[in-house]
Amino acid sequence: MKRKVIPVLVLCAAMLIPAVPADAKKLSSSNAAAKAARSEVPGATVTEVDTDRESGYLVYEVSLVKGKKEYDLKYRASNAQLITYEWDLFQHYNWSGGKHISKKKIRKKALNKVSGATVKSIYLEYDDDGDEYKVLLKKGKKNYTLEYDAGNGKLISYKWKLTNAAASSSGSSSGSTSSNSGIISEAEAKKIAAAQAPDTAEFVKVHLEYDDGRQVYEIEMRDGDGYPYTEYEFTIDAKTGKILESDVDVDD
């Protein structure tokens, strides 16, 4: 009799084990987002957790500090996916005295940091705390932004962000208010903006976001690698391709 009872008990026990829910990886609280961020940056201290909506999805923004670096991580709540990773050196003063290392050296440093990436643009930014090179790269499904001290070539800021297409395709519909179907592509938006600027202008920012319930591309371009230089900003309707706003600023 005992040998007949044992398998029944095992079967009953197996039936009582709870199934793993389909949304087990969903972030449902600030504490869960903080825990995920601490796993990504071991030993860091969480200083702030905030929520926002990006492209219609709920996201958690987590700020951390470790050593001399400040981190900002952004997670999609619906699937706990890390969509933005960034760190900056704080209390870094990079006064170069007007002497800069070459673009060629910065390019090499950036490609060593993100092996196999494609450099989209490199430009020099002037700041009261010192001059910086900003390098925009792309590798696979990620866009990278690296900032270097223009005087000594030290990496002072590192950021990657999933492309809009990658983030949208990997997110679940849970927590989303709309989809990206029926909109023009990032390449098409860039083409529209490029037609309004000189051929020598480079893209600094291309971002798909919501503005008053409407999806738009916010695009920034820059022409010139030093003073004077010209900045171009465009807001483009993501559905129609119409330029809603444009601005040109000459910084001399």
Side-chain angles (χ1 to χ4, degrees):
M1 291 295 292
K2 289 184 178 179
R3 281 180 291 181
K4 292 182 180 180
V5 174
I6 291 174
V8 174
L9 292 175
V10 172
L11 177 60
C12 291
M15 294 175 65
L16 291 174
I17 297 174
V20 177
D23 61 349
K25 292 192 176 183
K26 178 179 178 180
L27 293 179
S28 56
S29 69
S30 296
N31 287 338
K35 182 178 180 180
R38 283 194 296 268
S39 296
E40 190 70 32
V41 189
T45 300
V46 174
T47 58
E48 184 178 6
V49 181
D50 199 4
T51 58
D52 197 1
R53 283 199 172 270
E54 187 171 291
S55 299
Y57 290 91
L58 175 66
V59 296
Y60 283 97
E61 300 174 346
V62 187
S63 299
L64 312 94
V65 173
K66 181 181 180 182
K68 296 182 178 180
K69 292 180 181 178
E70 294 177 316
Y71 293 81
D72 288 295
L73 278 59
K74 188 179 294 185
Y75 290 89
R76 178 164 289 178
S78 60
N79 60 1
Q81 182 183 34
L82 180 60
I83 57 176
T84 302
Y85 175 97
E86 177 180 9
W87 63 255
D88 297 276
L89 289 180
F90 60 86
Q91 295 181 343
H92 174 77
Y93 301 99
N94 51 328
W95 175 246
S96 62
K99 296 180 180 180
H100 306 137
I101 64 176
S102 67
K103 261 189 179 182
K104 184 178 180 180
K105 289 183 178 179
I106 291 297
R107 181 187 182 90
K108 184 178 180 179
K109 285 178 175 289
L111 289 175
N112 285 337
K113 182 66 176 178
V114 189
S115 178
T118 299
V119 176
K120 299 169 67 177
S121 66
I122 304 175
Y123 58 92
L124 186 61
E125 282 193 337
Y126 297 88
D127 190 87
D128 292 339
D129 292 330
D131 304 337
E132 303 170 358
Y133 276 109
K134 182 171 286 188
V135 187
L136 306 182
L137 310 96
K138 184 173 183 180
K139 180 181 179 181
K141 298 179 179 180
K142 294 178 180 178
N143 288 321
Y144 292 81
T145 302
L146 277 58
E147 295 180 8
Y148 290 88
D149 184 314
N152 59 25
K154 183 177 182 178
L155 182 63
I156 56 178
S157 178
Y158 172 91
K159 175 181 179 180
W160 64 254
K161 180 177 182 179
L162 284 183
T163 61
N164 291 322
S168 298
S169 63
S170 59
S172 92
S173 59
S174 174
S176 172
T177 57
S178 69
S179 68
N180 289 339
S181 61
I183 65 172
I184 64 174
S185 67
E186 180 178 305
E188 291 172 315
K190 290 172 68 174
K191 185 176 181 180
I192 293 170
Q196 308 299 315
D199 292 340
T200 51
E202 297 181 323
F203 288 96
V204 175
K205 169 187 170 184
V206 182
H207 185 53
L208 178 64
E209 59 186 49
Y210 275 83
D211 184 15
D212 293 331
R214 171 172 53 186
Q215 281 184 294
V216 298
Y217 282 101
E218 294 289 350
I219 298 179
E220 295 180 12
M221 303 178 69
R222 174 176 169 142
D223 186 28
D225 188 24
Y227 285 111
Y229 63 86
T230 306
E231 293 181 327
Y232 299 84
E233 296 183 359
F234 304 97
T235 300
I236 299 175
D237 189 308
K239 285 191 175 294
T240 66
K242 180 181 178 180
I243 297 177
L244 304 174
E245 295 180 16
S246 63
D247 184 59
V248 180
D249 182 33
V250 179
D251 193 338
D252 53 7

